[in-house]
């Protein structure tokens, strides 16, 4: 009986890797979107050119790419 309870507890606490990655990305994306750096980047981008209404995933990816490119120099 104890072994079946242990097996159940172990399987209940683990999630498939894809689900975990999705959850991490959603939390990270939300935190980045709320940051002052992202808000400033978004505002500057709107002023530079017409800001297309990309979804938040695309905006955060663009922000991270541009930020990393800047840091690479």
């Amino acid at each position: 009986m104890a072994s079946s309870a242990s097996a159940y507890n172990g399987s209940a606490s683990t999630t498939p890797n894809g689900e975990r990655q999705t959850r991490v990305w959603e939390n990270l994306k939300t935190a980045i979107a709320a940051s002052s750096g992202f808000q400033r980047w978004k505002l500057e981008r709107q002023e530079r050119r017409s800001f297309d209404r990309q979804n938040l995933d695309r905006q955060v990816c663009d922000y991270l790419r541009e930020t990393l490119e800047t840091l690479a120099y």
Side-chain angles (χ1 to χ4, degrees):
M1 181 82 120
S3 62
S4 63
S6 296
Y8 174 77
N9 288 338
S11 64
S13 65
T14 59
T15 59
N17 195 31
E19 282 182 39
R20 187 174 346 175
Q21 289 177 351
T22 299
R23 209 170 46 240
V24 168
W25 169 244
E26 291 300 321
N27 290 333
L28 183 60
K29 178 178 62 175
T30 301
I32 291 169
S35 73
S36 60
F38 178 82
Q39 295 300 318
R40 185 174 52 248
W41 171 85
K42 191 173 174 181
L43 189 66
E44 290 170 357
R45 190 172 181 194
Q46 287 173 337
E47 292 171 358
R48 283 192 315 232
R49 57 185 181 264
S50 63
F51 186 71
D52 56 354
R53 299 216 178 260
Q54 297 174 334
N55 65 29
L56 189 57
D57 283 326
R58 185 77 251 149
Q59 291 176 13
V60 169
C61 286
D62 288 350
Y63 168 72
L64 291 173
R65 181 183 41 75
E66 290 180 22
T67 300
L68 290 172
E69 286 173 356
T70 300
L71 291 174
Y73 290 114

